[in-house]
Amino acid sequence: HYYIPASLTTVTITDATSIPTAAFNGCSNITSIVLNDEVTTINGYAFQDCTNLKSVELSARLTTLNSYMFKNCTSLESINIPEGVTFIGYAAFGACSSLTTITIPEGVTTIGDYAFYNCQKLTSIVIPDSVTEIASYAFLNCTKLSKVGYPANWTTTLTYTNDTENWRREVRTPFYGCTALKEITVDNGVTQIP
């Protein structure tokens, strides 16, 4: 184990290939992160609860944004996801309540469960054609999300739950709770919306 002082405000990784699980979890004074292009892996929970984090420069060599990676980074306003990323994990940006802008590059194939849940300031998102799966509740309660660009080959994972005790059927869709959603742009290639 290692000790990270509470006074740490800037993280610059210059000579590493991976960031361990929960490495900076809870370091609430961090405002800036810069990763060199040698970093290929950032393990889950790495920057969770860095509540003052505003600026992130990710390595161009990343392929996966792991679970809870930036969860509850409540000051993070925008993120540029590197071109090589193919997978955005479970709650990777969950509860990033100041996040207004996300750039999801062509090449991402999966947006995991709860990936951007409770990003309450997010207003629009363009999902690239490479995305083939948007999992359950990926954008749950993104209450200001009003525009979604829908890719040509999109499929979704829908979870149906039979709650015999309360006699209800629940559909867990990617955009559940997006109460401001008014416009979805569907590409020509879409033949069925699940």
Side-chain angles (χ1 to χ4, degrees):
H1 295 283
Y2 43 87
Y3 169 75
I4 297 176
S7 59
L8 182 68
T9 59
T10 302
V11 174
T12 304
I13 306 292
T14 59
D15 189 28
T17 58
S18 70
I19 309 295
T21 300
F24 298 95
N25 186 345
C27 293
S28 61
N29 288 321
I30 293 175
T31 59
S32 173
I33 298 169
V34 178
L35 303 179
N36 71 30
D37 280 342
E38 298 306 310
V39 175
T40 57
T41 305
I42 301 175
N43 288 297
Y45 305 89
F47 300 102
Q48 176 177 296
D49 294 324
C50 292
T51 54
N52 285 305
L53 181 63
K54 294 181 189 298
S55 171
V56 177
E57 289 182 36
L58 294 173
S59 165
R61 294 184 62 199
L62 284 176
T63 58
T64 299
L65 300 181
N66 282 307
S67 298
Y68 303 100
M69 203 161 115
F70 291 101
K71 182 181 178 279
N72 204 36
C73 291
T74 55
S75 297
L76 187 62
E77 294 178 359
S78 67
I79 188 86
N80 284 322
I81 298 170
E83 294 290 328
V85 170
T86 59
F87 182 84
I88 300 172
Y90 188 100
F93 296 96
C96 290
S97 56
S98 295
L99 194 62
T100 58
T101 306
I102 306 165
T103 303
I104 298 178
E106 191 67 39
V108 171
T109 59
T110 303
I111 299 173
D113 294 290
Y114 297 90
F116 296 98
Y117 84 94
N118 284 347
C119 292
Q120 296 169 344
K121 291 187 179 177
L122 184 64
T123 58
S124 67
I125 187 141
V126 175
I127 299 166
D129 286 339
S130 59
V131 171
T132 57
E133 180 181 349
I134 301 175
S136 297
Y137 294 146
F139 296 94
L140 173 70
N141 292 335
C142 292
T143 54
K144 293 199 175 163
L145 184 63
S146 61
K147 293 174 74 173
V148 175
Y150 204 92
N153 55 355
W154 186 73
T155 61
T156 185
T157 301
L158 293 178
T159 304
Y160 295 93
T161 303
N162 285 321
D163 182 351
T164 54
E165 191 173 309
N166 294 319
W167 295 94
R168 67 179 178 173
R169 183 171 219 157
E170 185 177 309
V171 179
R172 298 178 181 169
T173 66
F175 302 104
Y176 186 83
C178 296
T179 54
L181 190 58
K182 296 177 184 167
E183 180 181 331
I184 296 178
T185 304
V186 180
D187 284 351
N188 292 335
V190 174
T191 58
Q192 177 180 345
I193 297 176

